[in-house]
Amino acid sequence: FPTQLLRSAPMSSLSGALTEVVARVFTELGLSPEFGRVTPSNRPDLGQFQCNGALAAAKAAKQNPRAIAEQVLGRLQTLPQFRDLSLAGPGFINLSLTDDALGAYARAFAADERIGAARKSPPEMVVLDYGGANIAKAMHVGHLRAAIIGEALRRLFLFVGDNVVGDVHMGDWGLQMGMIISEMELRRPDLPYFDAAFKGPYPNASPVTAEELEEIYPTAAAACKADPARMEKARVATAELQQGRPGYRALWQHFFDVSVEMMKRDYGALGVHFDLWKGEACVDPLIAPMVDKMKAMGLAREDQGALIVPVAKPDDKKEIPPLILIKRDGAAMYSTTDLATIVDRVQEQNPDLILYVVDQRQHLHFEQVFRTAIMAGINGKATMEHLGFGTMNGPDGKPFKTRAGGVMKLQDLIAMMSNSAMERLNEQGIATDYDPAERQEIARRVGLAALKFADLSNHPVANYVFDLDRFVRFEGKTGPYLLYAAVRIKSILRKAETQGDTPGAILPPEPGERDLILALGDLPNAVMDAYRERAPNKIADYAYGLAQTFSTYYNAFHILSEPNKAL
Ligand code: ARG
């Protein structure tokens, strides 16, 4: 068995491989194998790994923990892969591997295209909902975190082995549509879209550009807020749009088309991919049958002209108000389209999991939607999960705004990051011999890395402060630092090739190289922890630690100037 750890491709982390060994010893001693869990040591001065299971095992077996630990140790000592084994405190076991064992693991790791991470089997079908940008409104920093965290999870789930469908789920069916339509009617009453008698066909060209919409929406929203009569108009327009008034639908289609083009540009600039470009509107035909079903089940009931679903449970700690399914004027709500979207996803993908990456402040909304979906039995076999994220704040601790106090547009934010990265390149005299276009591209990538890593290195639920100067630094826990480490490694490999050095077999490590192999051998743990906890920051932390370990190694060892070719 011990040689199996050395020869086969590592289908696990180093600590995972050791857990198998130690768990077997626990079993041999008549104890439960679950006590054999080995983790990287939090006291590297005492050993590379530790196992604390003897304490729990002793409690379960009503024995002395040190006695159990000594028996385990005795058996481990007969195995060839350990350089050092010791006992500490009431029964902690410290373990260190021989350099031969580490070298063998490193070779298997290098040969394994999954770098030690087992592929999940069987895969599950996962629908990821991490877009939520709204038609006719500019994308802003609120959609940034959803996109960045969601994209990281999409790649992570795919790597682990699930089937993933990423859906942008645009906001395109709510009251904001009626606000814009009624604002347009005031500005351009001549357009055929408002003439109920018009028989068509409607013009092919959009009467507005996306940029114009970005101005029209805030103006319309402010007017509706200030004037109840305007708000009433917007409500009526929304209800009529949803009921299918042809002119409104035609106008809506224009809003939709020009907005989607812009969203594709913005998400594309972030390197964020969606498999589906669906929105709230496209599930509209599913609403009526769904509502009928909920009525027939006695789930939905009338309340002051509206249709509501009471979702409170007796053991609720906080009051959960009823979900509003249909408003008095007949309009569908945000919750209604989210429910119909569940119906659609069950029909189309039949997912095992629907994961919503949406602002934590929408938690109540998702609680109401999930409860309703389960009571109505519309979620098929899907578990529904809301991964709520915190806000990106300005220095004042409030959600990030522009200097003028407005909403920061995503496009402007990205430009700001690139500019700041360019300043850093200039300051440090980096890439001065590159042509300007290529240099601009480097700045763009460095800026994007800064933005994405800053976001991903925080736990999703945490709020964090946008600190441009810190994010674009080449030192510290930043995206540019990681890029720098990766580029340095690539540069070494390229130079090695030029001087005729090719990779040979990995030899047992020198003492200073051990840390690098130990760090690499922990990668599968970081991946699986991030996957289980939906926490991409675990990978960000890992990557930063690995870059630091590499840097230490690089400073201590010759690489290109190493005279011993075999080494
Ligand atoms: N459009 C919404 C907003 O801007 C976000 C949508 C999130 N996804 C969902 N399935 N509700 O707030």
Side-chain angles (χ1 to χ4, degrees):
F1 179 73
T3 50
Q4 188 198 325
L5 162 65
L6 311 183
R7 266 197 234 121
S8 61
M11 289 302 284
S12 70
S13 62
L14 259 174
S15 59
L18 286 174
T19 296
E20 278 184 44
V21 175
V22 178
R24 182 164 298 213
V25 168
F26 273 86
T27 309
E28 285 166 7
L29 294 170
L31 300 160
S32 165
E34 75 195 40
F35 298 124
R37 203 168 98 87
V38 175
T39 56
S41 178
N42 51 26
R43 285 286 307 273
D45 53 321
L46 298 179
Q48 296 163 345
F49 300 92
Q50 64 190 54
C51 171
N52 304 340
L55 282 83
K59 209 167 177 194
K62 299 204 170 59
Q63 289 180 33
N64 176 325
R66 247 193 113 87
I68 290 188
E70 265 160 20
Q71 287 177 49
V72 173
L73 209 66
R75 292 197 177 229
L76 291 175
Q77 264 150 358
T78 66
L79 302 178
Q81 67 263 51
F82 295 107
R83 171 166 60 83
D84 191 30
L85 290 158
S86 66
L87 258 184
F92 303 114
I93 302 170
N94 300 308
L95 315 92
S96 293
L97 288 166
T98 63
D99 291 335
D100 275 339
L102 285 174
Y105 182 84
R107 278 194 292 281
F109 191 84
D112 179 8
E113 61 172 13
R114 293 194 51 85
I115 44 176
R119 179 179 280 277
K120 180 175 160 190
S121 165
E124 288 186 293
M125 174 51 88
V126 179
V127 173
L128 260 179
D129 185 317
Y130 53 102
N134 298 308
I135 295 297
K137 298 194 214 171
M139 278 181 67
H140 57 78
V141 298
H143 299 115
L144 180 77
R145 295 211 72 193
I148 294 178
I149 298 167
E151 175 67 17
L153 290 175
R154 188 181 73 84
R155 297 180 192 188
L156 179 60
F157 275 63
L158 282 172
F159 176 74
V160 169
D162 285 325
N163 299 316
V164 185
V165 172
D167 182 6
V168 69
H169 194 76
M170 286 169 277
D172 59 6
W173 211 225
L175 185 59
Q176 88 264 25
M177 302 315 312
M179 289 180 175
I180 302 166
I181 290 172
S182 49
E183 173 77 19
M184 284 285 288
E185 185 162 10
L186 283 174
R187 293 187 188 191
R188 305 278 307 275
D190 56 302
L191 291 175
Y193 307 99
F194 309 112
D195 177 2
F198 187 76
K199 287 280 169 294
Y202 293 98
N204 282 326
S206 174
V208 281
T209 64
E211 284 74 22
E212 285 165 344
L213 279 178
E214 284 174 17
E215 175 270 319
I216 295 174
Y217 171 70
T219 312
C224 290
K225 206 172 162 194
D227 178 0
R230 284 290 301 272
M231 184 63 103
E232 189 49 33
K233 262 188 184 312
R235 275 211 198 92
V236 172
T238 307
E240 287 185 351
L241 169 74
Q242 293 184 356
Q243 280 144 24
R245 183 169 157 167
Y248 286 5
R249 291 272 175 132
L251 190 55
W252 176 90
Q253 191 64 50
H254 287 307
F255 298 160
F256 183 87
D257 293 342
V258 296
S259 301
V260 167
E261 201 181 308
M262 212 160 55
M263 277 180 209
K264 289 197 167 162
R265 180 202 65 196
D266 284 353
Y267 282 122
L270 283 174
V272 171
H273 168 84
F274 292 100
D275 303 292
L276 294 178
W277 284 82
K278 289 192 165 183
E280 297 163 354
C282 75
V283 297
D284 182 64
L286 300 174
I287 291 179
M290 178 186 80
V291 170
D292 287 346
K293 179 184 169 186
M294 290 185 186
K295 274 196 211 156
M297 288 174 81
L299 230 119
R301 60 172 170 77
E302 299 241 340
D303 188 85
Q304 299 166 46
L307 203 57
I308 63 163
V309 179
V311 292
K313 292 179 189 164
D315 54 349
D316 283 338
K317 302 252 174 332
K318 267 194 299 197
E319 197 198 321
I320 311 280
L323 174 144
I324 302 176
L325 202 54
I326 301 289
K327 271 201 300 188
R328 227 176 338 159
D329 59 15
M333 306 285 287
Y334 182 44
S335 303
T336 324
T337 50
D338 254 328
L339 285 165
T341 302
I342 295 174
V343 174
D344 181 57
R345 287 171 179 166
V346 169
Q347 270 172 21
E348 297 295 321
Q349 289 88 27
N350 194 19
D352 299 288
L353 170 68
I354 307 177
L355 181 57
Y356 298 83
V357 185
V358 182
D359 195 316
Q360 177 60 20
R361 289 171 293 185
Q362 297 194 18
H363 193 70
L364 178 61
H365 162 75
F366 284 108
E367 187 63 44
Q368 293 173 315
V369 168
F370 296 168
R371 286 185 183 193
T372 305
I374 290 168
M375 286 191 294
I378 57 171
N379 59 317
K381 59 177 165 139
T383 308
M384 296 160 290
E385 211 179 290
H386 173 212
L387 179 68
F389 53 79
T391 51
M392 179 170 112
N393 292 332
D396 59 354
K398 298 206 180 105
F400 189 70
K401 293 262 160 68
T402 60
R403 271 199 204 150
V407 176
M408 174 62 96
K409 285 202 252 166
L410 197 60
Q411 203 190 1
D412 298 340
L413 181 70
I414 293 174
M416 201 165 119
M417 300 302 302
S418 298
N419 292 342
S420 177
M422 184 58 99
E423 279 169 27
R424 277 292 137 95
L425 295 183
N426 290 341
E427 248 170 53
Q428 311 212 355
I430 295 176
T432 44
D433 52 338
Y434 282 63
D435 75 63
E438 198 170 354
R439 207 150 180 266
Q440 193 56 52
E441 175 60 13
I442 294 173
R444 188 189 69 81
R445 290 190 189 208
V446 171
L448 200 57
L451 184 64
K452 283 189 153 187
F453 188 81
D455 197 280
L456 291 173
S457 58
N458 289 287
H459 190 278
V461 298
N463 300 333
Y464 70 96
V465 172
F466 182 78
D467 182 346
L468 184 62
D469 290 338
R470 188 169 64 76
F471 293 174
V472 296
R473 264 183 222 156
F474 281 99
E475 316 82 38
K477 195 174 177 182
T478 68
Y481 172 74
L482 290 188
L483 276 186
Y484 193 76
V487 166
R488 185 156 65 179
I489 292 168
K490 288 199 173 188
S491 152
I492 294 169
L493 292 174
R494 196 182 56 231
K495 286 183 187 150
E497 207 181 303
T498 335
Q499 67 183 43
D501 293 328
T502 48
I506 297 174
L507 300 179
E510 306 270 318
E513 292 173 314
R514 286 175 189 150
D515 286 346
L516 195 53
I517 295 179
L518 291 171
L520 287 168
D522 200 31
L523 173 64
N525 293 332
V527 170
M528 288 317 291
D529 287 352
Y531 174 77
R532 269 191 299 266
E533 297 168 33
R534 285 69 164 113
N537 60 299
K538 298 263 165 172
I539 293 178
D541 288 346
Y542 173 80
Y544 176 56
L546 183 62
Q548 283 181 308
T549 307
F550 175 76
S551 174
T552 308
Y553 162 80
Y554 173 80
N555 290 328
F557 283 86
H558 305 275
I559 302 179
L560 293 170
S561 58
E562 171 58 47
N564 177 352
K565 285 280 166 194
L567 199 55

